[in-house]
Amino acid sequence: SSFPAPRVSPDVDFVKLLFSETNADINLSPDETKQLINQYGLSFTNDSSSKNKLLHPSEKLIFRHTTRAKANVIIFFVESLSARFLTPYESKFDSITPNINHFSDYSTVVDGYYNHTTPTINGLLGQLNSIYPSFINEDFLETKQNFQTRSIINILNDHGYNTLLFSYEHKAFPLSQCLKGLGFYTTFFKQDLELKYNIKSTRNDFLEDGDVLGCFTKYLSDNTPQKPFLAVVSTVNTHTGYQLSKKSLPYKDYNSSLLTAIHTMDNEFGKFWSFFINSKLKDNTIVILTADHSLPVSVELKDLYPEENFTNNLFDKIALIIYDPVHKLPSRLKAHCSSINLAPTVMHLLSIDSISSHFQGHSIFDNPTDSTFLSIYSGAVYEKRINEKTFIDRRTNYLISNWLKYNQQLFRNNKLIPTKSQY
């Protein structure tokens, strides 16, 4: 997401045109939609997905709401943070994330939580909107395209929250254009943070994790919240193949740039956590540490896990660790679900339970175990079954392939998400 997409060639445009025309009239029958609802929780009303769907958490499984002031929320989206590397998930790399381990001692570690889409643009929009996005970078280079969203940012804006974004991204790149459209009251991208905090960045394309997390921590220390807030923080240094920062903290005796990047990110997160746990914010602020998506399979990853047979290079378990100072949540939650559930889970934690939404997911505190779920990337659809270790390629399945094409058609014509007047 940190590099502008090249202009497509005329022949690629021609193929895309054929593809879009071929799928222009795709629709789903009542029997097909019923099967999608029963098997995967997917539903469509007319030409909008779940247009009249109300979020009503049952509260019956994990916790009950308590009467309290509106809680703050901080969500960290760490680049490619697969659970396999973190100490709380019993990483085979000893003490690679000591600060995240300390954070998890106060939190709920959700085990069995997978990314439902990739790459970063799809990961962030898919989670904040609880949708299966059909994006490519070129979509955001088309100024005439205006994607409608109804994210947790929009919802919390309506509930009196201040919403903020701290992102590593260069303001000229597609991800920044995408995030701006989510409705944040205040956004800080690379250039904004450099100017506000007088940072001398060593890169032209993005801001280092230490700078992003450092600026966010300083913002919290300098500003007393006048009303509840939601802050989203995204990082990038753990992106596969990225050059290590000169400030990197080497990890033991492993000659691995990937492990060093993760160890360094943990060190920077630790500086935030040290500030937070000693501040007043700790008493009424939910902190969520998760990932935009899992780490794609690479040569380095295979070298680090020679014993593992990687059958899918797009989807894996990702981190989901939730600090909640009020609810009595379990220290560990065994799950089988995906990141499509992040937005409704946040709403559940905040006791916001009667909203009209298009969310395709559900709160993991209502039901942490899905017998099956889907993960998508562009034209690829994979199914994860609870008793299977690997994802099943479902692109040849008639129903699933038609659902994906229909989903793409609705999304690109701004029909997947209802207009504001329909809420």
Side-chain angles (χ1 to χ4, degrees), residues 127-164:
Q127 293 183 70
L128 293 173
N129 288 283
S130 189
I131 57 173
Y132 294 92
S134 300
F135 287 117
I136 55 176
N137 280 356
E138 287 87 348
D139 292 331
F140 297 97
L141 301 179
E142 297 279 350
T143 56
K144 63 183 179 181
Q145 180 62 65
N146 179 27
F147 293 106
Q148 296 170 359
T149 63
R150 176 68 175 172
S151 66
I152 59 175
I153 291 89
N154 303 121
I155 294 169
L156 291 183
N157 286 343
D158 292 344
H159 281 77
Y161 275 69
N162 182 27
T163 51
L164 309 104

Side-chain angles (χ1 to χ4, degrees), residues 165-169 175 179 188-190 193 207 212 232 234:
L165 170 71
F166 287 75
S167 174
Y168 64 86
E169 187 73 321
L175 178 60
L179 294 176
F188 293 101
F189 292 99
K190 178 182 187 294
L193 294 173
L207 203 59
V212 175
V232 172
S234 64

Side-chain angles (χ1 to χ4, degrees), residues 207-411:
L207 203 59
E208 303 277 4
D209 290 1
D211 291 329
V212 175
L213 291 171
C215 290
F216 176 61
T217 303
K218 182 166 177 52
Y219 178 91
L220 293 179
S221 65
D222 291 347
N223 294 272
T224 302
Q226 300 302 310
K227 59 181 182 177
F229 69 86
L230 164 73
V232 172
V233 184
S234 64
T235 68
V236 73
N237 277 107
T238 46
H239 196 295
T240 181
Y242 274 20
Q243 183 178 357
L244 289 174
S245 166
K246 294 180 180 179
K247 302 176 184 178
S248 294
L249 184 66
Y251 173 66
K252 290 188 172 182
D253 299 326
Y254 285 87
N255 184 22
S256 168
S257 59
L258 175 57
L259 297 183
T260 291
I262 294 169
H263 192 52
T264 303
M265 177 277 300
D266 173 82
N267 184 61
E268 300 298 345
F269 178 80
K271 297 174 185 177
F272 156 79
W273 178 241
S274 178
F275 157 79
F276 178 88
I277 202 64
N278 291 293
S279 72
K280 293 181 180 180
L281 291 170
K282 73 178 186 300
D283 298 324
N284 196 39
T285 304
I286 297 168
V287 180
I288 299 174
L289 179 70
T290 189
D292 55 350
H293 53 77
S294 63
L295 182 74
V297 174
S298 62
V299 172
E300 186 171 18
L301 183 61
K302 290 181 178 179
D303 287 343
L304 292 172
Y305 292 88
E307 73 282 2
E308 187 163 342
N309 179 24
F310 292 98
T311 58
N312 188 285
N313 64 349
L314 297 173
F315 309 107
D316 196 4
K317 292 179 182 178
I318 60 174
L320 180 62
I321 307 176
I322 303 172
Y323 167 85
D324 185 323
V326 177
H327 295 115
K328 293 182 179 180
L329 301 181
S331 60
R332 200 165 192 93
L333 180 62
K334 186 66 178 177
H336 181 263
C337 60
S338 77
S339 55
I340 192 76
N341 297 322
L342 182 68
T345 297
V346 173
M347 295 296 99
H348 193 176
L349 291 171
L350 294 179
S351 305
I352 301 175
D353 58 0
S354 294
I355 56 173
S356 180
S357 79
H358 58 264
F359 292 167
Q360 291 284 10
H362 59 78
S363 168
I364 64 170
F365 294 113
D366 269 339
N367 178 21
T369 304
D370 293 324
S371 59
T372 61
F373 62 81
L374 298 177
S375 292
I376 75 168
Y377 170 62
S378 186
V381 189
Y382 296 87
E383 180 183 57
K384 178 65 173 64
R385 299 175 181 173
I386 193 168
N387 295 321
E388 300 288 340
K389 291 184 178 180
T390 61
F391 283 78
I392 304 169
D393 189 336
R394 302 289 276 166
R395 282 176 288 185
T396 59
N397 178 273
Y398 171 81
L399 178 62
I400 296 302
S401 61
N402 268 13
W403 162 75
L404 179 63
K405 293 172 184 176
Y406 187 48
N407 183 73
Q408 291 173 329
Q409 174 191 331
L410 294 178
F411 202 101

